Amino acid sequence: MAVSGLLLLLFLVAHMAGNLKIFFGAESFDHYAHWLRDIGAPVLPHTWYLWIQRFVLTAALVGHAWAATVLALRAKRARPVRYAHRPKVQGSYAARTMRWGGVIILLFLVWHLLDLTVGTVNPVGNPATPYANVVAGFAPSRWPVTLFYALAVVAIGFHVRHGLFSALRTLGQRTAKGEQRARVAALGFAIILCAGFLSVPFAVLVGLVG
C-alpha cells in the first residue's frame, strides 16, 4: 500500500508541475508535452518512456487497490462478530470517504485519458496541439467537465491527505505533537496539490488561459 501510494503521489506532483507550464503560453506547454514523448532518446524510441510510465502507474494503481482490499478483508476477519454496541469514532471525513473517493477517481481517470490523452471526447483532440486540447477541454461551454474534474481533484485531495497522514503516523509520529504536525503537513500538501491542479481548468474557464 505504501510503495504503490508513494509512486502515485510522486507522479501527481510531477504531473501538477508540468500542468502549470500552461501559464507560460502555448509554445512552452506544447514543447513540454512533446518533450515527454522523447524522454530517453535516442536510447528509447519515440513515446516509449510514456508507455513505460503508463505501465508502472497502472501496476501501482492495481497494486494499491489490491492492497486496500486485502487490508479491508483482513480487518473484517479480525472481528467476524459485530459489536453489540459500538460508540461513534471521531474518524476524519477523508477516512470515511476513501472508498467512494476511489470510485470517483477511477471514473475520472478513464474520462481524463479519453479527453486529453487519446482525444476521443476532446473537441480538438489533436496530439500535436496539447495546449489547444486543454483550452478546448475546459472551455466555458463544457463547464460540466470542469465540475467533474474539480470533484475528482477534491477526492484526490482527501485521498492524499488521509494517506499521507497515515504514512507519517506509521513512520513514527506517535506523540500528540507529532500527530498534530503530521495532520498539518498532510493537509497542507493536499491543499497545494489540489490548488495546482485546479488552477488550470479554472484559469481556462475565466479566460486567463486561452
Side-chain angles (χ1 to χ4, degrees), residues 88-118:
K88 291 184 178 180
V89 179
Q90 295 300 319
S92 68
Y93 183 77
R96 295 194 299 269
T97 57
M98 289 291 275
R99 289 197 182 103
W100 65 255
V103 173
I104 291 176
I105 293 169
L106 181 60
L107 293 175
F108 163 73
L109 180 61
V110 173
W111 173 266
H112 196 54
L113 290 173
L114 291 175
D115 188 17
L116 295 176
T117 299
V118 180

Tab-separated table of all heavy atoms in Angstrom, residues 88-118:
chain	number	residue	atom	x	y	z
A	88	LYS	N	-19.523	5.887	18.482
A	88	LYS	CA	-19.046	6.567	17.283
A	88	LYS	C	-17.577	6.945	17.447
A	88	LYS	O	-17.155	7.442	18.485
A	88	LYS	CB	-19.872	7.833	17.015
A	88	LYS	CG	-21.296	7.531	16.587
A	88	LYS	CD	-22.034	8.808	16.239
A	88	LYS	CE	-23.455	8.508	15.768
A	88	LYS	NZ	-24.190	9.750	15.413
A	89	VAL	N	-16.810	6.671	16.389
A	89	VAL	CA	-15.400	7.008	16.400
A	89	VAL	C	-15.212	8.323	15.651
A	89	VAL	O	-15.767	8.516	14.567
A	89	VAL	CB	-14.567	5.893	15.712
A	89	VAL	CG1	-13.097	6.272	15.697
A	89	VAL	CG2	-14.782	4.575	16.438
A	90	GLN	N	-14.422	9.203	16.215
A	90	GLN	CA	-14.210	10.504	15.599
A	90	GLN	C	-13.162	10.404	14.488
A	90	GLN	O	-12.078	10.950	14.570
A	90	GLN	CB	-13.757	11.508	16.676
A	90	GLN	CG	-14.810	11.793	17.730
A	90	GLN	CD	-16.081	12.372	17.137
A	90	GLN	OE1	-16.029	13.218	16.249
A	90	GLN	NE2	-17.231	11.925	17.619
A	91	GLY	N	-13.498	9.619	13.453
A	91	GLY	CA	-12.588	9.488	12.322
A	91	GLY	C	-12.710	10.684	11.399
A	91	GLY	O	-13.697	11.411	11.404
A	92	SER	N	-11.673	10.896	10.606
A	92	SER	CA	-11.689	12.034	9.699
A	92	SER	C	-12.668	11.798	8.565
A	92	SER	O	-13.007	10.668	8.233
A	92	SER	CB	-10.286	12.271	9.130
A	92	SER	OG	-9.931	11.204	8.268
A	93	TYR	N	-13.109	12.894	7.949
A	93	TYR	CA	-14.020	12.792	6.808
A	93	TYR	C	-13.340	12.051	5.668
A	93	TYR	O	-13.970	11.259	4.964
A	93	TYR	CB	-14.424	14.194	6.361
A	93	TYR	CG	-15.415	14.187	5.232
A	93	TYR	CD1	-16.767	13.908	5.473
A	93	TYR	CD2	-15.028	14.460	3.928
A	93	TYR	CE1	-17.692	13.907	4.444
A	93	TYR	CE2	-15.943	14.459	2.890
A	93	TYR	CZ	-17.271	14.182	3.155
A	93	TYR	OH	-18.173	14.171	2.126
A	94	ALA	N	-12.026	12.291	5.495
A	94	ALA	CA	-11.297	11.624	4.418
A	94	ALA	C	-11.285	10.121	4.615
A	94	ALA	O	-11.477	9.359	3.673
A	94	ALA	CB	-9.860	12.156	4.362
A	95	ALA	N	-11.079	9.670	5.847
A	95	ALA	CA	-11.026	8.233	6.115
A	95	ALA	C	-12.365	7.582	5.817
A	95	ALA	O	-12.423	6.461	5.313
A	95	ALA	CB	-10.626	7.993	7.565
A	96	ARG	N	-13.461	8.273	6.108
A	96	ARG	CA	-14.792	7.685	5.902
A	96	ARG	C	-15.212	7.700	4.439
A	96	ARG	O	-16.171	7.052	4.062
A	96	ARG	CB	-15.819	8.454	6.740
A	96	ARG	CG	-15.625	8.338	8.239
A	96	ARG	CD	-16.855	8.819	8.983
A	96	ARG	NE	-17.166	10.209	8.710
A	96	ARG	CZ	-16.703	11.242	9.422
A	96	ARG	NH1	-15.894	11.010	10.444
A	96	ARG	NH2	-17.033	12.471	9.130
A	97	THR	N	-14.512	8.458	3.606
A	97	THR	CA	-14.920	8.577	2.200
A	97	THR	C	-13.876	8.024	1.238
A	97	THR	O	-13.943	8.291	0.036
A	97	THR	CB	-15.188	10.056	1.842
A	97	THR	OG1	-14.007	10.824	2.118
A	97	THR	CG2	-16.343	10.609	2.645
A	98	MET	N	-12.921	7.251	1.738
A	98	MET	CA	-11.863	6.730	0.877
A	98	MET	C	-12.425	5.829	-0.223
A	98	MET	O	-11.956	5.847	-1.359
A	98	MET	CB	-10.837	5.960	1.710
A	98	MET	CG	-9.972	6.848	2.593
A	98	MET	SD	-8.837	7.881	1.649
A	98	MET	CE	-7.469	6.743	1.439
A	99	ARG	N	-13.454	5.032	0.094
A	99	ARG	CA	-13.972	4.087	-0.896
A	99	ARG	C	-14.657	4.800	-2.048
A	99	ARG	O	-14.357	4.568	-3.216
A	99	ARG	CB	-14.925	3.103	-0.213
A	99	ARG	CG	-14.224	2.120	0.698
A	99	ARG	CD	-15.106	0.940	1.031
A	99	ARG	NE	-14.429	0.022	1.950
A	99	ARG	CZ	-14.681	-0.061	3.239
A	99	ARG	NH1	-15.593	0.703	3.779
A	99	ARG	NH2	-14.022	-0.917	3.998
A	100	TRP	N	-15.636	5.678	-1.742
A	100	TRP	CA	-16.326	6.341	-2.852
A	100	TRP	C	-15.398	7.321	-3.548
A	100	TRP	O	-15.519	7.582	-4.744
A	100	TRP	CB	-17.614	7.006	-2.389
A	100	TRP	CG	-17.488	8.151	-1.429
A	100	TRP	CD1	-17.753	8.131	-0.099
A	100	TRP	CD2	-17.117	9.509	-1.731
A	100	TRP	NE1	-17.556	9.378	0.455
A	100	TRP	CE2	-17.163	10.247	-0.526
A	100	TRP	CE3	-16.744	10.171	-2.896
A	100	TRP	CZ2	-16.835	11.601	-0.441
A	100	TRP	CZ3	-16.424	11.529	-2.818
A	100	TRP	CH2	-16.472	12.215	-1.600
A	101	GLY	N	-14.436	7.866	-2.797
A	101	GLY	CA	-13.448	8.737	-3.429
A	101	GLY	C	-12.632	7.975	-4.456
A	101	GLY	O	-12.332	8.483	-5.541
A	102	GLY	N	-12.283	6.728	-4.147
A	102	GLY	CA	-11.541	5.906	-5.085
A	102	GLY	C	-12.338	5.619	-6.346
A	102	GLY	O	-11.790	5.600	-7.457
A	103	VAL	N	-13.645	5.418	-6.204
A	103	VAL	CA	-14.505	5.180	-7.371
A	103	VAL	C	-14.559	6.415	-8.258
A	103	VAL	O	-14.452	6.321	-9.495
A	103	VAL	CB	-15.931	4.786	-6.916
A	103	VAL	CG1	-16.865	4.709	-8.124
A	103	VAL	CG2	-15.907	3.450	-6.175
A	104	ILE	N	-14.720	7.592	-7.649
A	104	ILE	CA	-14.746	8.842	-8.421
A	104	ILE	C	-13.431	9.037	-9.164
A	104	ILE	O	-13.408	9.408	-10.348
A	104	ILE	CB	-15.018	10.043	-7.491
A	104	ILE	CG1	-16.447	9.985	-6.954
A	104	ILE	CG2	-14.789	11.365	-8.227
A	104	ILE	CD1	-16.768	11.070	-5.961
A	105	ILE	N	-12.321	8.767	-8.482
A	105	ILE	CA	-11.004	8.925	-9.097
A	105	ILE	C	-10.850	7.977	-10.280
A	105	ILE	O	-10.318	8.352	-11.336
A	105	ILE	CB	-9.891	8.686	-8.055
A	105	ILE	CG1	-9.921	9.798	-6.995
A	105	ILE	CG2	-8.519	8.647	-8.730
A	105	ILE	CD1	-9.044	9.527	-5.798
A	106	LEU	N	-11.317	6.743	-10.146
A	106	LEU	CA	-11.213	5.766	-11.231
A	106	LEU	C	-12.026	6.200	-12.444
A	106	LEU	O	-11.551	6.145	-13.584
A	106	LEU	CB	-11.682	4.393	-10.744
A	106	LEU	CG	-11.614	3.259	-11.772
A	106	LEU	CD1	-10.176	3.055	-12.243
A	106	LEU	CD2	-12.167	1.971	-11.188
A	107	LEU	N	-13.273	6.654	-12.208
A	107	LEU	CA	-14.113	7.118	-13.318
A	107	LEU	C	-13.491	8.338	-13.993
A	107	LEU	O	-13.495	8.466	-15.226
A	107	LEU	CB	-15.518	7.460	-12.796
A	107	LEU	CG	-16.351	6.278	-12.300
A	107	LEU	CD1	-17.663	6.785	-11.696
A	107	LEU	CD2	-16.630	5.297	-13.434
A	108	PHE	N	-12.951	9.238	-13.171
A	108	PHE	CA	-12.300	10.431	-13.713
A	108	PHE	C	-11.083	10.056	-14.556
A	108	PHE	O	-10.839	10.645	-15.612
A	108	PHE	CB	-11.880	11.358	-12.578
A	108	PHE	CG	-10.873	12.391	-12.997
A	108	PHE	CD1	-11.243	13.463	-13.786
A	108	PHE	CD2	-9.538	12.275	-12.618
A	108	PHE	CE1	-10.313	14.410	-14.190
A	108	PHE	CE2	-8.604	13.205	-13.008
A	108	PHE	CZ	-8.985	14.279	-13.799
A	109	LEU	N	-10.313	9.084	-14.081
A	109	LEU	CA	-9.109	8.669	-14.805
A	109	LEU	C	-9.460	8.181	-16.204
A	109	LEU	O	-8.785	8.529	-17.181
A	109	LEU	CB	-8.396	7.559	-14.021
A	109	LEU	CG	-7.104	7.010	-14.639
A	109	LEU	CD1	-6.074	8.120	-14.772
A	109	LEU	CD2	-6.547	5.878	-13.787
A	110	VAL	N	-10.536	7.400	-16.317
A	110	VAL	CA	-10.965	6.911	-17.626
A	110	VAL	C	-11.336	8.088	-18.533
A	110	VAL	O	-10.908	8.166	-19.697
A	110	VAL	CB	-12.160	5.950	-17.475
A	110	VAL	CG1	-12.727	5.574	-18.845
A	110	VAL	CG2	-11.749	4.696	-16.706
A	111	TRP	N	-12.138	9.020	-18.011
A	111	TRP	CA	-12.541	10.190	-18.799
A	111	TRP	C	-11.339	11.043	-19.186
A	111	TRP	O	-11.220	11.497	-20.324
A	111	TRP	CB	-13.554	11.030	-18.031
A	111	TRP	CG	-13.863	12.322	-18.728
A	111	TRP	CD1	-13.274	13.530	-18.530
A	111	TRP	CD2	-14.816	12.526	-19.783
A	111	TRP	NE1	-13.789	14.469	-19.378
A	111	TRP	CE2	-14.740	13.883	-20.157
A	111	TRP	CE3	-15.728	11.682	-20.421
A	111	TRP	CZ2	-15.545	14.412	-21.150
A	111	TRP	CZ3	-16.529	12.222	-21.428
A	111	TRP	CH2	-16.434	13.574	-21.776
A	112	HIS	N	-10.445	11.272	-18.223
A	112	HIS	CA	-9.279	12.128	-18.439
A	112	HIS	C	-8.402	11.573	-19.560
A	112	HIS	O	-7.906	12.331	-20.399
A	112	HIS	CB	-8.486	12.226	-17.136
A	112	HIS	CG	-7.499	13.344	-17.124
A	112	HIS	ND1	-7.834	14.655	-17.387
A	112	HIS	CD2	-6.159	13.350	-16.859
A	112	HIS	CE1	-6.760	15.423	-17.295
A	112	HIS	NE2	-5.732	14.653	-16.983
A	113	LEU	N	-8.227	10.256	-19.589
A	113	LEU	CA	-7.431	9.638	-20.648
A	113	LEU	C	-8.112	9.782	-22.006
A	113	LEU	O	-7.460	10.083	-23.010
A	113	LEU	CB	-7.201	8.160	-20.330
A	113	LEU	CG	-6.262	7.868	-19.149
A	113	LEU	CD1	-6.253	6.376	-18.838
A	113	LEU	CD2	-4.854	8.360	-19.447
A	114	LEU	N	-9.428	9.584	-22.031
A	114	LEU	CA	-10.170	9.734	-23.287
A	114	LEU	C	-10.177	11.173	-23.772
A	114	LEU	O	-10.208	11.435	-24.983
A	114	LEU	CB	-11.612	9.242	-23.103
A	114	LEU	CG	-11.800	7.739	-22.901
A	114	LEU	CD1	-13.268	7.440	-22.601
A	114	LEU	CD2	-11.335	6.956	-24.124
A	115	ASP	N	-10.132	12.118	-22.841
A	115	ASP	CA	-10.224	13.534	-23.184
A	115	ASP	C	-8.881	14.113	-23.622
A	115	ASP	O	-8.753	14.647	-24.729
A	115	ASP	CB	-10.761	14.307	-21.973
A	115	ASP	CG	-11.083	15.758	-22.308
A	115	ASP	OD1	-11.203	16.087	-23.507
A	115	ASP	OD2	-11.206	16.571	-21.378
A	116	LEU	N	-7.860	13.994	-22.773
A	116	LEU	CA	-6.608	14.703	-23.020
A	116	LEU	C	-5.433	13.808	-23.415
A	116	LEU	O	-4.359	14.321	-23.713
A	116	LEU	CB	-6.230	15.520	-21.778
A	116	LEU	CG	-7.205	16.652	-21.443
A	116	LEU	CD1	-6.810	17.351	-20.151
A	116	LEU	CD2	-7.286	17.664	-22.590
A	117	THR	N	-5.620	12.493	-23.410
A	117	THR	CA	-4.548	11.608	-23.875
A	117	THR	C	-4.908	10.998	-25.222
A	117	THR	O	-4.189	11.174	-26.211
A	117	THR	CB	-4.274	10.485	-22.850
A	117	THR	OG1	-3.869	11.070	-21.606
A	117	THR	CG2	-3.166	9.564	-23.349
A	118	VAL	N	-6.028	10.290	-25.265
A	118	VAL	CA	-6.474	9.687	-26.524
A	118	VAL	C	-7.119	10.733	-27.429
A	118	VAL	O	-6.954	10.715	-28.647
A	118	VAL	CB	-7.459	8.534	-26.244
A	118	VAL	CG1	-7.922	7.889	-27.549
A	118	VAL	CG2	-6.796	7.486	-25.350
